[in-house]
Amino acid sequence: MANADVVTAPGSPAEPGEHADPTSDQLSADIRLVGRLLGDIVRAQAGEETFELIEAVRRTAVRGRREGETAAVVELEALVAEQPLERLLNVIRAFDWLSLLANTAEDVHVERRRRHHRQTGSTAQPGGFEVTFDALRDEGLSDDALADLVADVRVSPVITAHPTEVRRKTILAVLESISELLDRHSRIPEDDPKRDEIVDLLHVRILTLWQTALLRLSKLRVRDEINEALRYYEASLFETVPALMSALETMVTDRTGREIDATGVVAMGSWIGGDRDGNPFVTADVMRLATRRQAEIALGHHLHTLERLSVELSMSARLITPSPELQQLADDSGDESPFRADEPYRRALRGMYARLYGFADRVLEGDLSELGAAAPSVDRPPYETLTGLVTDLDVVIGSLRSHSADDLARKSVEPVRRAVAVFGSHLCGLDMRQNSAIHEQVIADLFAGAAVSDRYLELPEEQRVELLSAELLNPRPLRHPTATYSELTQAELDVLTAAAHAVRTLGAATIPQYVISMATAVSDVLEVAVLLKEVGLVTVAGDDVASSIDIVPLFETIGDLADAPTTLATLLAHPTYRRLVEARGGRHEVMIGYSDSNKDGGYLSSQWNLFAAQAGLVETARDAGVRLRLFHGRGGTVGRGGGPAYQAILAQPPGSVDRAIRVTEQGEMVAAKYAHPALAQRNLETLVAATVRASCASADARTSRFEPVMASLADVAFETYRGVVYGDDRFASFFRQITPTNEIATLNVGSRPASRTKSDAIEALRAIPWVFGWTQCRLMIPAWFGAGTAFEHHAGDDPERVEELRTMYDEWPFFRAIVNNMGMVLAKADIDIGRRYAEALVTDESMRSEIFGRIEQEHALVRRWHAEITGSADPLADNPLLARSLRNRYPYLDPLHVMQVDLLRRYRDGDDDELVRRGIQLTINAIATGIRNSG
């Protein structure tokens, strides 16, 4: 860690285009700096012998990667073989911290590049508003049409809790400080003594990391996940969302001459505290906690910003003349202090603060202990709704402009007004989610108790729909005060009651959607409507029904995706349910699941079936005269729907992005996108810009001719994937032996169990640990297995068909995104590392030889066809920045794999030493950190 090649080989060629970017050298300098500081700390804290071992391991790994020496692996194994466990743990920790520090330096570098491009007036970056608007204008979109389109766009990133974010909140806070210090360090001239001061501070922060435990002592609770997600509002979102809306409005006005209101363009969402599917720890109490904490964060923020404004806006009536409306606010404020007699803005804002505090007191039901705001100094009646506060802030803005303080209005007050309008008292929309199998059990229990039917679960679909339809129009409740219900039924009803209370108290935006996992039939949706009626979230008046919540079926498996258009058509043809849809503005939301469809049928099949399902859903909704909004359940990895957001959205079928999109943000990707304002701004701008652009997409006959080819490829890939993963009875055992999946379950990284049941079958395993496990052994089969055979089967040695695949890649954004995302994973996959896991950990030689041999064969096929289709043997030829990043991190991933294999072998051979278990957990943590998008 003392030399220049901590993570980069000296003399590595510059990436294409990087020679013009002076910030590139700064990245290498930053990594060398943090590596040197970490090395000094390791030497001082763990001793010279440990430091020399780490250096020897690092040098061997670097040489092995640089020169392609397979002997380096044998040397690595020999270096760590006889080391005391305590020393090995320090080696693992050192490489883990180096990975985190390198990741941090790369994130700083990304923002530095963007800042450099802005300062030098370089061409606007792809994926932003400017490039998108220019492209639409070039394509003939009128100024009025653009303004109308942007004003109507609705984008909702939904933060979910999944056990792939392995970093602790404490560590994230220190890394944020290191980011700021690295950025400041790069801005100061080399001869400035302040650089040394920053280096000293970096040393302190890295020392703090070294002496901080990487692993949690206890498993995360849902309340911990709630608080972890909410930290991103103070970290970036309170600042970024209003600023982005302002920038969007300004750009539209500058380009079209039209003024628009972009306040509703971005609406943040969450599943944390509302997602009960397979998580028994999400209870009514947890839902109450989630909605309450969201309200406390939002209202606390608004109160603090009003308090700040009451200090800032010190203008004297002796020097300016406020508007009559502002003067009235001041006179009505109740502030009689003689020291502010001539300061109308301060007086007005103190009255507004008091009214907001009173509102908070009402909606939080008198418990303001976590609000973090002081009681007001004046007594004023509370706002009925926060619309009143928005109106008063408009008065402040108008008054400032009336005496030529426009800049003050724009810079200080408008962001506060926007934040109140956007985040309200709810902060973000909390979705509810539950599995359809649970709903039917609850309905059966309620029907039996109300003497509607004592055999609901035995009824065919038609009879279920008939019963549910009648109950949906029946205003009387199903629950009877003397009936006894199962524990499951009571728990579900308690959650729904808590949700209804939150909606009544904080507004309908608090819980906007109810997502139904494993939705396969109309009855699955009607069951939820009946349950919502029980708590007043669906109301009945004669033949009229209305819902406070969107009911959202989630189609996840390959079969469910294929049937989704038919299911939606039947649902929209149901007269009572259709009235519910009309009462929601004639719009219907459908969620599609990337993770389970991939686990069910493999990457290529999943991607095509998702595409085909969307196209069918669009046609169904259009035929029914309903606006469709799609909710994409994407994960961080390609195997779970991940990949560049802009390209992914543009690759959707025409008509599927109709001015609105919702998308999950999961696992470690939340920190990667929202940890800093600059990251959040870029991510949100990309989502909005892509939604605007995709909303203008139209069917292209040139690419539609490729769809039969894609369908055929998907069918072959499906059969190939299913034949191995589900067709070989030994595969579940192979998976659990070659991956540390069982050991992953011991990491305290999430509240949700790894499996839906106690079964060891692949079907019972959640998609997240499925992907996470394959990532640890670097095989990553969820993102490519089956594709090679599909390409080979379709094209083989036929030059025309090979050229057809190349044309598809060149002309069809959907296919190009599939192939490029596959290339990203192929660059991270390493068949040699996977083979070491197989040889060391899979005990049955026949099983190992046959199954791993099939994986190896498929990997060779997909690498060959990826090169054939793209025209490059380098799977990252079009992504030089990622290629450089991976080159940087490979040398310290290799030793981690060597140590993980050794520790897993020891543990499975019966060595139950606490240090062995901790070492395994540390390597899992470290490899996930190095790969970055691990689940």
Side-chain angles (χ1 to χ4, degrees), residues 326-556:
L326 189 283
Q327 187 62 55
Q328 190 64 53
L329 282 179
D331 293 343
D332 292 343
S333 68
D335 183 5
E336 303 298 335
S337 170
F339 300 106
R340 290 185 290 275
D342 68 331
E343 296 174 341
Y345 288 96
R346 283 182 164 173
R347 293 170 58 214
L349 283 158
R350 274 170 168 75
M352 293 159 63
Y353 181 96
R355 297 193 69 190
L356 177 58
Y357 194 91
F359 174 86
D361 185 60
R362 186 177 75 243
V363 300
L364 296 176
E365 300 174 329
D367 182 4
L368 303 180
S369 57
E370 298 296 324
L371 195 60
S377 57
V378 297
D379 185 22
R380 295 282 292 130
Y383 288 111
E384 285 299 316
T385 70
L386 291 193
T387 302
L389 176 56
V390 172
T391 299
D392 287 351
L393 286 167
D394 283 334
V395 169
V396 175
I397 292 168
S399 181
L400 287 170
R401 288 175 174 162
S402 73
H403 53 78
S404 302
D406 300 68
D407 289 344
L408 193 55
R410 186 177 70 256
K411 296 287 187 181
S412 293
V413 187
E414 285 187 3
V416 176
R417 189 256 188 213
R418 285 183 186 277
V420 174
V422 169
F423 299 108
S425 59
H426 65 288
L427 187 70
C428 60
L430 178 67
D431 288 5
M432 288 192 287
R433 182 171 78 135
Q434 183 55 284
N435 197 290
S436 60
I438 301 295
H439 298 142
E440 68 177 8
Q441 292 180 51
V442 175
I443 286 290
D445 203 9
L446 289 172
F447 277 3
V452 173
S453 172
D454 58 1
R455 58 185 191 90
Y456 177 78
L457 295 178
E458 303 168 19
L459 297 178
E461 171 69 7
E462 296 78 6
Q463 292 182 36
R464 287 191 181 193
V465 169
E466 183 179 349
L467 277 180
L468 292 165
S469 301
E471 283 304 321
L472 194 53
L473 289 174
N474 192 333
R476 66 103 170 90
L478 284 166
R479 280 184 287 184
H480 193 279
T482 62
T484 300
Y485 299 111
S486 70
E487 185 178 341
L488 172 67
T489 296
Q490 193 57 57
E492 288 296 305
L493 292 174
D494 287 347
V495 169
L496 291 169
T497 300
H501 178 75
V503 169
R504 287 194 300 270
T505 305
L506 299 170
T510 307
I511 301 178
Q513 276 87 19
Y514 193 117
V515 178
I516 308 167
S517 298
M518 296 297 171
T520 61
V522 171
S523 63
D524 293 332
V525 180
L526 295 182
E527 285 166 357
V528 171
V530 170
L531 291 174
L532 292 176
K533 182 174 72 73
E534 282 298 297
V535 295
L537 291 174
V538 165
T539 56
V540 180
D543 288 338
D544 291 330
V545 291
S547 176
S548 301
I549 293 179
D550 285 335
I551 302 174
V552 183
L554 165 55
F555 300 106
E556 299 177 83

Side-chain angles (χ1 to χ4, degrees), residues 490-735:
Q490 193 57 57
E492 288 296 305
L493 292 174
D494 287 347
V495 169
L496 291 169
T497 300
H501 178 75
V503 169
R504 287 194 300 270
T505 305
L506 299 170
T510 307
I511 301 178
Q513 276 87 19
Y514 193 117
V515 178
I516 308 167
S517 298
M518 296 297 171
T520 61
V522 171
S523 63
D524 293 332
V525 180
L526 295 182
E527 285 166 357
V528 171
V530 170
L531 291 174
L532 292 176
K533 182 174 72 73
E534 282 298 297
V535 295
L537 291 174
V538 165
T539 56
V540 180
D543 288 338
D544 291 330
V545 291
S547 176
S548 301
I549 293 179
D550 285 335
I551 302 174
V552 183
L554 165 55
F555 300 106
E556 299 177 83
T557 67
I558 298 295
D560 291 346
L561 286 168
D563 294 340
T566 301
T567 303
L568 181 63
T570 308
L571 194 57
L572 294 177
H574 188 281
T576 306
Y577 185 77
R578 180 57 184 262
R579 288 199 288 275
L580 269 180
V581 174
E582 294 301 332
R584 298 292 292 167
R587 186 198 67 232
H588 198 289
E589 182 170 308
V590 172
M591 185 174 185
I592 52 175
Y594 289 69
S595 302
D596 282 287
S597 61
N598 183 289
K599 180 169 161 283
D600 185 39
Y603 176 65
L604 208 62
S605 176
S606 168
Q607 291 295 303
W608 168 246
N609 279 278
L610 286 162
F611 184 95
Q614 290 180 73
L617 288 166
V618 167
E619 184 177 352
T620 296
R622 185 184 298 120
D623 291 346
V626 169
R627 282 188 62 183
L628 178 71
R629 178 169 67 188
L630 285 165
F631 184 8
H632 297 260
R634 290 160 51 101
T637 62
V638 171
R640 294 187 55 244
Y646 193 84
Q647 289 80 359
I649 293 174
L650 293 188
Q652 304 310 309
S656 64
V657 184
D658 183 12
R659 294 160 286 175
I661 193 170
R662 298 180 79 223
V663 58
T664 55
E665 302 281 30
Q666 303 179 4
E668 73 284 348
M669 300 312 294
V670 177
K673 293 179 177 180
Y674 300 109
H676 307 290
L679 294 173
Q681 189 277 335
R682 177 63 175 169
N683 181 60
L684 293 175
E685 181 176 351
T686 296
L687 288 175
V688 173
T691 303
V692 170
R693 182 74 188 274
S695 296
C696 297
S698 57
D700 188 341
R702 295 175 304 168
T703 59
S704 61
R705 74 183 192 275
F706 299 138
E707 292 181 8
V709 177
M710 188 66 220
S712 175
L713 291 170
D715 287 343
V716 175
F718 177 83
E719 295 299 329
T720 303
Y721 174 88
R722 295 283 303 190
V724 173
V725 174
Y726 295 97
D728 190 324
D729 293 338
R730 304 168 298 173
F731 195 83
S733 176
F734 176 85
F735 167 70

